[in-house]
Each structure stands twice: as C-alpha cells, then as structure tokens.
Amino acid sequence: MFHKDSASDATFRKQVRSWFEANLPRELRGRTVRPPPADLMVWYKLLSERGWIAPHWPKEHGGMGATLSEQIIIAQELGRLSAPHLPLQGVNHLGPILMRYGTHEQKQRHLPPILRGDVIWAQGYSEPGSGSDLASLTTKAELIDEHFLVNGTKVWQTWAHHADWMFTLVRTDPEAKPKHAGISFLLIDLRTKGVKTKPILNIAGDDEFSQVLLDDVVVTKENLIGPLNGGWKVANDLLANERLFTSSPQHALEVVHRITRLANANGRDGDPVFRDKLAALRIRIIAQEALFWQAAGLIANGRPLGPASSTMKLIATSNLQAATDLLIDVADTHGADVGRQSVGDDDVDITRIFLQSRRATIYGGSSEIQRNVLARRVLGLPS
Amino acid sequence: MDLLLSPEQELLQASASKLLAEQGGVKRMRHLRRKSAGFERNVHEKMALAGWFGVLVPPEQGGLGLGLTELALLLMETGRGLAPEPVAPAAIAAYALSNGESSAASSNLLEKVVSGEMIVSLAIEGDGSELDNTRASLAAVFSSGRIVLDGTRAGVPLASASDGFIVAAWSNDDPVLCYVSKSAIGLTVDEHETVDGRSYGTLTFRAVSADHLIAAPAHAAPVVQALYDMMLIATAAELVGVMTAALDLTVEYLKIRKQFGKPIGSFQALQHRAVDNLVQVISTRTLLFQICDQGIVPSSEMASALKAYAAGEALALTKSAIQMHGAIGFTDEHDVGLYLKRAMWLAAYLGNESAHRKRFDRLSQFEPVELRQDH
Ligand SMILES: Cc1cc2nc3c(=O)[nH]c(=O)nc-3n(C[C@H](O)[C@H](O)[C@H](O)COP(=O)(O)OP(=O)(O)OC[C@H]3O[C@@H](n4cnc5c(N)ncnc54)[C@H](O)[C@@H]3O)c2cc1C
C-alpha cells in the first residue's frame, strides 16, 4: 500500500513467489496448527537448501545477506500462501546473539546446524515465578570448576519437547543488586541427564509449549555466551528487524483474507453491519501498514526503532485480535464450532485461530508491559 | 518524534508554530469564539505573507510549489494552536485555481487568494450523506455563455465572512467547477454556529450566474475529486494537531496534579490511558504522512480511510483528555475543552467516521488470495 517494489525487488519477488508456489507442499499451506517436526522440517530443509532460511544473516555466516526489503518480500510471500510457522528460535534469536557475543568455536559449532535445520532450539527464559518480571528468575547455575550445575524450572518454552537444545537465562549470582546483574546466558543440550520436558496443552488444544525441569544438570563452561553475569544484556539485544517482523500487518491480513472468504461463502458480505466492521478493521490495518513502512524506512537507514517497537506491538496485536474477533463473528452460529470448516477453497479452524491469537498480547512483553515502557520512556510519567 | 521530515520541512513547521504563537495562540481563539467573523483578516494576511496559501501552487504562479506533506505540517500547527482562519480552504482553493483552465479571471483570483487579499471558501459538499458532491444537490446549466446554478451546497466553512466560493456543481453527468462571489444575485447564505465557536454556511442558489468557469465539464471531474480528497487529508492533518496539543496538555497535567500524596501520572490506570492516546496520535500522524507521501493527488480510498481513522481517534483522545483533567476539564475556562470541540467539528466536517468507512468500503476492493491455486 505505502510501498512499491523497486525494479530489482520486483524481480526478486517474482522469483520467490514462483519458487514458493512450486515448492511449498500443499498440505502445509493454510494450516492452523503447527504440524509435527517430521512434516514441518521438510519445508525448513527445502528453504535451507535454497539458501533462504536465514534471509537476515550475513553471507559470511551462511545467510542470504538480504536487504531489508528482500526480507520483507520473503515474509510477505510466505504469508501469501499461509505458509506454516517454522521453529525459528535458532535463526531469529540465538543466531544473531551468537554472531555478536559468541566465540569463534561457539559460532562454528552452533550456526551451521541451525541453518541446516539439524538442531531445533528452544528459548528458556520464563519460569513459574518469573514472567513479566523476568529479572527475578531463580533457576540456579553454580560454577564448579569447569562446569555449571543447573537446578530449577523453566516454563512455557515453545516446542521445547521437540527441541534438541535450549538457550536459557540462569542465575549465577544470587546476591546481585539489581537482580538482572546476576544473570548469565547459557546453552543447554536437552538430552543431558537431569533435563525433563513436559508438554503443556494450550487453550487451543495444542501442545505448543512445555515445562522444562532442570535437576542437577551439568553444563560445561564452553556453553556460557558472553560474560559471566552479563546475560541480561546478551538476551535483550534483540535485532530491530526482529521487532519489525513481529509487528508486520501480514498476520492480521491473513485473518482478513479468511474473513472475506468466509463472508463470500456464507452471504455475510452483503450485510451492512458486517461491512462496517470489516471496513473499520481494514482501516486500522492500513494505519498499521503506515507504521510498518515508516519503521522499515528507519531501520533501512540504520536508525534505531527505540520505543516505536512498543507502539507497533500494541497496534499489531490489537489488530490481530480484532481480526480474530471478526472471524468468529462472521461465522455466525458456527462461531463456536470445533474443527475445520470448509470456506471456499480453504479449510479453516476458526475457533482455534481465535484462541491462538490470545497469546499475542501476553508473550514478547505483554501489552501492559509495553504500556509501562511507553509511559516511562516516551511520556516521562513518574513511577 | 519518529518522523522522517527533512530539515526544510522541520523549519516550515517551526515557523508556522512561531507565527501562531505570536498572534496570541489559543487565547486569541478563545476571544474570537462566537464573534461574527470568527477569525481575523490581519492574521490571515500574515499567513499569506508566509506563503501558506500558495503551498500547493507552482512557483511560476506565485506559490511555494510544495506538496501535501508541507500543507499537512501547516495544518497540524493550525490545529495545535486552534487558529480559526480558513487555512485549508484557502490553500486548496488556490490549488483548484492553479489547476483549472487558465483564464485571466482565474489567475487574477489566484493571486488574491495567495496574497490573502480575498477569502475564498470551498463549496464542494452536498448535505448529509451526499459525500463528494453527488449531483442531486446543485445543478449547473450552460445558457448563452453563462453558467446558471440552482440548488444547495452545505458545510461551507466560515461562509459569511468569505468573499466568494469555489463551487462544484453538476451539468448533466459531469461535474463543473466555477467561482461565485458572495454578493452574487440569488445566492443566500444560512449560517450555522458550530460547537467550537465558529460557523459554516449552507448556500442556496436560485438561478445564480457564476462569475467565471474554473474547470469545464470535460475536465473538471479529476479536479473536483482531488479537491474533496485533499480537503479530507487537510482536515485529518488539523485533527492530528488537535490530538497532539490535547495529549501534551494532559501529560503536563498528569505530572503536576497531585492526589493521594503523589502526581496522578504515577497511577497506572492513567498511564495506560495516556499511552493509548499516545499510540492514537502516533498512528494517525504516521498514516497522514505516509498518505501525503504518495503524491499530490491522493487516492479517494486512502483519503477516506484517513478521515475515518483520524475522526475516530481524535474524538476518543480528546474525550479521554477531559476525563484525565477531572472537573477542571469540564469547565469552559480550561483549554482542553476547546480541543474536544474543535475535534467534534473537524470529525463531522465533510463526513464523519461512519460516513467515510462506508465510502472506503464502497471504493476499495479486497480480493482474498486463492491459497491452493497456482498462478
Ligand atoms: C504462546 C506462548 C509462548 C511462549 N513461549 C515462550 C518461550 O518459548 N520461552 C519462554 O521463555 N517464554 C515463553 N512464553 C512466556 C512469556 O514470555 C510469558 O508469558 C510472559 O513473559 C508473561 O509472563 P507470565 O505469563 O508469567 O504473566 P505475568 O507476568 O504473571 O502477567 C500476568 C498479567 O499481569 C500483567 N502484569 C504483569 N506485570 C505487570 C505490571 N508491572 N504492570 C501491569 N501489568 C502487569 C501482565 O500484563 C498480565 O496481564 C510464552 C508464552 C506464551 C503465551
């Protein structure tokens, strides 16, 4: 809407689109639940072989070294076919952290398997007692000679029960003040003795996340990333790109596509009440697109996003949830049905999409936490 | 805060802000409320001298030759300072005159609009839900070299105090654009006071001869469309200014007003409310600038999206601003109420949120992608 592809971007888009159409397995398109690893990793590996699994990684590390607009094109074209969400904790989170803070050996060891899809990573930050207040975490790692002895419980780890490794935050100094000064960033092989993962059924009926119990787990010292007690900075140094992509209008637009297909199929598209709601939603997504392209402009010019990422997350998540509200609304009396409903050429499990979208305002810094950040950092309101 | 303005654009905005502050700012507006003209000619002339009304006019016709972003910046300041002068109608009337057919009469009038010597308002709107001048309300008949107008135009800002009007009418199936002076025989102006202390007029034409033609039926359609859509964007820009000022006032108040022994701005309920308002300002302003960036003639679909969004967000924000002020916000004395009232007028003018959602829906096509189909 607010962006036109340059000539070279248009060529790139064409190339990406036709390759996706030819190679993304049909049964993986438009899925509302993430397929199991055996199905999903096929697509991961296809992308990897094509060299497109890590668009934002520099070429020296085996990435694509893509420009920001090429990265956006790839995301858009994946969204266009409702491609399944891949386990990208390694590509998006750990990879950039290793490139920045890892030693030569750590990069050599961990980056190539991430690219190839040989190793699936989980993110082990949250704990039963430490969610929004992450710095209060208590999972203990004691440095004894050349290894850490880790004890504690992590919870809500996406796909940890399918994962091979977990990057985690652990307490290495219980006395530290402020609390975040006693935290370190550690990699844990999930097959190590003393590690147990327990899948947790989520509100949508999927076991997307897990509890990870750590009982006297021995982790060698080479798995420490960055300095001892310096883990907070390592973990929070997220890339601006990453923040941009999580706020992409794509997510809400994918739901709008489904809403329109459903309305076309069941006749609600002629209902003025529905049309008004849809127009309101689409206008809000247009405003989100405006923010997205402005932010992309800032990043492309090497400028920091700063608190704008909080603004964008608030808008993106409220639009996504407004879209899933309308999705069950348009389904009329079928708005509480379990299972897939045929909608034109598409099968959609609308109640599951609705339920899954609840997570958007909870993880990645809840909406309340984003508002706290903006109140302090932009409005300068007192505490 | 998060804009990508050029140094020149920042300078333009700063100088507009300074000019309005020097004239007395919001205090001046307060004194002018409900007065007959509702604005000051001498201030209008100062704006003209600063080039405001020629912002969209090419330099060879005496303008600044800039774009919608610059117009938006001037109007954001107009909204922020609640200036009552008809800035948007003047600048867009000048655009109409410079883009119509070239004639001595048009260029003469253009010069006077740009110099501020004459106040020319826009009469391009039908009444109620008749958005973008549907033909029913004003008919133009060409008869022996004259254009004769019969019907009405509604929502003409500061009509009584204007010298004349750029009028959009319908000749059979085509729009036509012409100029009619206020003293024209057969033209009556009905004034309606608006809640912000200004007024607009309903014009009734009974066999009124237009002074001169600006764009003939064969060419007028795109110009008329552009005028209407530009006015939507201009109105949204003023709304952004109003929102910015109302939020600034409120955040200031949250920091100084104390209850329960601390600033009320330390209460999370109010912090989150204020942040939601901040997000409204940022998103509306960003949408405005991104649309302005698309070129001088906006798409009707986007113009309506923007007007609908800005109207809704501005009303929500200014109401929230009153709430966070408590009783002082409910007084006539406090400025925060002036912003709510200006937002009410700007939201209603040229069609409100509901009307523009409907127009957006009518104009826009949304084609869902066929997932399983190959292309
Ligand atoms: C689908 C999903 C996937 C996840 N994946 C992972 C993962 O892979 N790895 C991982 O480590 N974690 C993961 N998480 C956990 C996520 O990071 C936490 O849920 C998040 O940090 C919030 O913590 P909490 O759930 O304990 O909620 P709490 O922090 O207990 O919050 C409860 C409520 O209180 C509000 N609240 C808390 N503090 C404040 C405050 N100061 N002011 C106002 N309101 C406040 C919150 O906004 C929320 O509404 C995932 C969560 C979900 C839902």
Side-chain angles (χ1 to χ4, degrees):
Chain A
M1 197 80 74
F2 299 108
H3 175 84
K4 283 207 176 62
D5 286 343
S6 68
S8 61
D9 281 348
T11 312
F12 180 70
R13 185 186 293 279
K14 249 181 144 166
Q15 187 190 355
V16 169
R17 180 173 294 186
S18 61
W19 192 85
F20 284 177
E21 276 172 359
N23 291 281
L24 173 57
R26 245 138 235 266
E27 62 280 6
L28 289 182
R29 301 181 191 187
R31 293 281 288 256
T32 32
V33 181
R34 220 192 308 212
D39 299 346
L40 194 53
M41 294 312 280
V42 172
W43 171 232
Y44 191 115
K45 289 184 172 165
L46 272 172
L47 275 171
S48 171
E49 280 154 25
R50 183 65 186 80
W52 286 350
I53 192 68
H56 55 293
W57 285 22
K59 286 207 170 102
E60 53 166 313
H61 293 299
M64 240 182 102
T67 63
L68 184 66
S69 56
E70 287 167 345
Q71 295 172 39
I72 293 172
I73 288 170
I74 291 182
Q76 286 176 331
E77 293 302 321
L78 287 171
R80 187 175 160 276
L81 294 182
S82 290
H85 294 205
L86 295 170
L88 291 176
Q89 303 273 23
V91 167
N92 285 343
H93 292 268
L94 184 62
I97 285 174
L98 285 177
M99 288 174 215
R100 176 122 194 222
Y101 294 98
T103 61
H104 180 70
E105 291 70 33
Q106 288 170 333
K107 292 181 208 172
Q108 292 285 86
R109 162 132 200 235
H110 294 293
L111 292 179
I114 291 176
L115 278 180
R116 289 194 302 266
D118 291 345
V119 168
I120 296 175
W121 283 86
Q123 181 196 63
Y125 291 176
S126 307
E127 298 180 2
S130 304
S132 300
D133 182 14
L134 187 60
S136 69
L137 62 88
T138 56
T139 292
K140 201 163 72 174
E142 290 168 274
L143 186 56
I144 302 166
D145 303 329
E146 288 305 295
H147 64 263
F148 291 96
L149 188 66
V150 185
N151 276 289
T153 303
K154 294 285 172 183
V155 73
W156 317 129
Q157 279 60 53
T158 301
W159 258 42
H161 48 298
H162 298 310
D164 308 290
W165 278 76
M166 175 169 82
F167 55 95
T168 182
L169 288 175
V170 290
R171 180 151 302 282
T172 38
D173 180 358
E175 310 300 324
K177 287 219 165 66
K179 282 186 256 168
H180 64 248
I183 291 173
S184 300
F185 193 99
L186 207 58
L187 310 181
I188 300 179
D189 183 338
L190 292 174
R191 278 158 313 206
T192 319
K193 191 165 160 281
V195 178
K196 201 183 275 169
T197 57
K198 285 192 185 167
I200 302 169
L201 207 61
N202 70 17
I203 194 170
D206 315 321
D207 51 359
E208 263 266 316
F209 51 23
S210 280
Q211 192 172 26
V212 181
L213 306 167
L214 302 160
D215 183 14
D216 278 340
V217 178
V218 176
V219 179
T220 50
K221 212 176 148 188
E222 74 214 22
N223 290 299
L224 175 71
I225 307 295
L228 189 69
N229 295 321
W232 190 255
K233 184 169 186 313
V234 173
N236 281 290
D237 221 7
L238 272 191
L239 291 175
N241 297 25
E242 170 86 40
R243 296 184 197 271
L244 180 72
F245 282 102
T246 53
S247 297
S248 164
Q250 191 86 39
H251 310 303
L253 279 173
E254 278 178 44
V255 182
V256 173
H257 282 290
R258 298 195 142 127
I259 294 169
T260 16
R261 264 192 240 120
L262 195 49
N264 289 344
N266 74 2
R268 281 286 301 280
D269 60 342
D271 168 7
V273 175
F274 165 73
R275 295 220 64 93
D276 184 61
K277 286 182 180 176
L278 179 65
L281 172 63
R282 289 185 49 212
I283 289 171
R284 300 199 84 79
I285 298 173
I286 290 172
Q288 185 189 343
E289 284 179 56
L291 279 164
F292 178 83
W293 288 109
Q294 180 183 277
L298 284 172
I299 294 172
N301 287 312
R303 288 166 61 179
L305 264 189
S309 66
S310 292
T311 310
M312 290 179 59
K313 183 169 191 262
L314 284 173
I315 291 201
T317 54
S318 90
N319 283 348
L320 176 67
Q321 294 182 347
T324 60
D325 285 349
L326 192 55
L327 183 65
I328 56 167
D329 178 301
V330 72
D332 213 333
T333 49
H334 296 287
D337 290 4
V338 167
R340 296 162 86 77
Q341 303 185 33
S342 251
V343 176
D345 64 332
D346 191 16
D347 290 328
V348 204
D349 189 340
I350 61 164
T351 48
R352 208 170 218 152
I353 295 178
F354 171 84
L355 291 169
Q356 279 172 347
S357 76
R358 301 299 105 208
R359 65 186 165 199
T361 44
I362 298 172
Y363 65 10
S366 73
S367 296
E368 288 73 24
I369 297 301
Q370 306 297 343
R371 289 190 177 94
N372 289 348
V373 168
L374 289 168
R376 244 191 343 269
R377 284 182 58 192
V378 179
L379 297 179
L381 291 172
S383 47
Chain B
M1 195 184 324
D2 52 358
L3 297 182
L4 300 163
L5 293 181
S6 70
E8 294 77 17
Q9 289 169 332
E10 277 175 7
L11 200 65
L12 180 78
Q13 185 173 22
S15 67
S17 164
K18 184 158 166 276
L19 188 153
L20 291 175
E22 283 167 0
Q23 306 314 308
V26 175
K27 211 177 253 152
R28 178 175 73 94
M29 186 271 161
R30 186 177 277 286
H31 290 309
L32 289 168
R33 285 191 298 169
R34 297 185 282 271
K35 298 273 162 54
S36 62
F39 69 96
E40 295 176 300
R41 284 225 175 210
N42 69 320
V43 176
H44 192 85
E45 277 161 23
K46 284 187 184 136
M47 293 167 165
L49 209 61
W52 289 23
F53 308 137
V55 66
L56 301 178
V57 175
E60 51 288 5
Q61 290 178 286
L64 299 180
L66 299 170
L68 281 185
T69 305
E70 286 81 3
L71 176 64
L73 289 170
L74 294 174
L75 288 164
M76 279 164 60
E77 291 310 313
T78 307
R80 216 164 60 83
L82 293 175
E85 284 66 32
V87 177
I92 290 170
Y95 172 85
L97 289 164
S98 78
N99 279 273
E101 280 143 47
S102 56
S103 71
S106 277
S107 47
N108 187 23
L109 189 59
L110 174 61
E111 199 187 308
K112 289 183 169 149
V113 170
V114 170
S115 70
E117 194 183 326
M118 281 179 75
I119 309 281
V120 172
S121 199
L122 295 174
I124 56 173
E125 190 190 7
D127 202 7
S129 59
E130 276 188 38
L131 295 181
D132 51 350
N133 45 76
T134 32
R135 65 205 66 183
S137 52
L138 185 63
V141 174
F142 286 79
S143 111
S144 49
R146 295 185 316 139
I147 311 165
V148 182
L149 303 169
D150 269 289
T152 57
R153 293 279 81 167
V156 180
L158 302 164
S160 295
S162 302
D163 300 307
F165 310 100
I166 306 275
V167 178
W170 286 83
S171 161
N172 300 320
D173 284 341
D174 297 306
V176 43
L177 204 60
C178 53
Y179 176 71
V180 178
S181 64
K182 201 182 78 208
S183 55
I185 295 164
L187 175 66
T188 50
V189 178
D190 247 333
E191 264 317 278
H192 308 269
E193 197 185 319
T194 48
V195 68
D196 66 333
R198 296 194 300 172
S199 68
Y200 69 87
T202 301
L203 309 187
T204 306
F205 300 79
R206 286 197 193 81
V208 172
S209 283
D211 291 46
H212 74 269
L213 182 72
I214 297 169
H219 317 287
V223 186
V224 170
Q225 196 59 63
L227 289 193
Y228 183 75
D229 291 327
M230 279 177 169
M231 277 306 290
L232 295 181
I233 287 173
T235 310
E238 261 188 87
L239 280 166
V240 169
V242 166
M243 292 167 83
T244 310
L247 180 65
D248 287 350
L249 262 185
T250 306
V251 170
E252 234 9 78
Y253 192 69
L254 292 178
K255 289 175 185 169
I256 55 165
R257 170 71 176 168
K258 287 197 169 127
Q259 285 294 284
F260 302 97
K262 25 178 171 166
I264 57 171
S266 65
F267 302 136
Q268 201 180 47
L270 298 191
Q271 292 185 347
H272 286 194
R273 194 185 250 278
V275 164
D276 287 343
N277 295 152
L278 170 74
V279 170
Q280 292 173 318
V281 177
I282 291 175
S283 61
T284 313
R285 189 179 55 194
T286 306
L287 181 59
L288 168 71
F289 280 105
Q290 290 285 347
I291 290 178
C292 287
D293 215 34
Q294 308 280 294
I296 200 151
V297 177
S299 96
S300 297
E301 180 185 331
M302 284 294 121
S304 275
L306 174 63
K307 178 73 207 295
Y309 191 76
E313 301 297 85
L315 283 175
L317 182 145
T318 47
K319 286 183 289 187
S320 165
I322 304 280
Q323 174 66 21
M324 287 193 272
H325 277 81
I328 193 81
F330 189 67
T331 62
D332 181 65
E333 183 193 329
H334 200 285
D335 286 346
V336 70
L338 300 178
Y339 288 102
L340 169 61
K341 290 172 181 176
R342 181 61 62 85
M344 287 168 72
W345 150 252
L346 292 166
Y349 177 46
L350 296 172
N352 62 17
E353 182 183 11
S354 307
H356 280 287
R357 246 190 226 168
K358 205 161 158 186
R359 183 173 182 252
F360 168 82
D361 181 50
R362 179 161 53 78
L363 294 172
S364 69
Q365 296 296 326
F366 189 84
E367 293 297 335
V369 179
E370 301 298 325
L371 277 188
R372 289 166 204 233
Q373 189 181 309
D374 287 311
H375 297 265

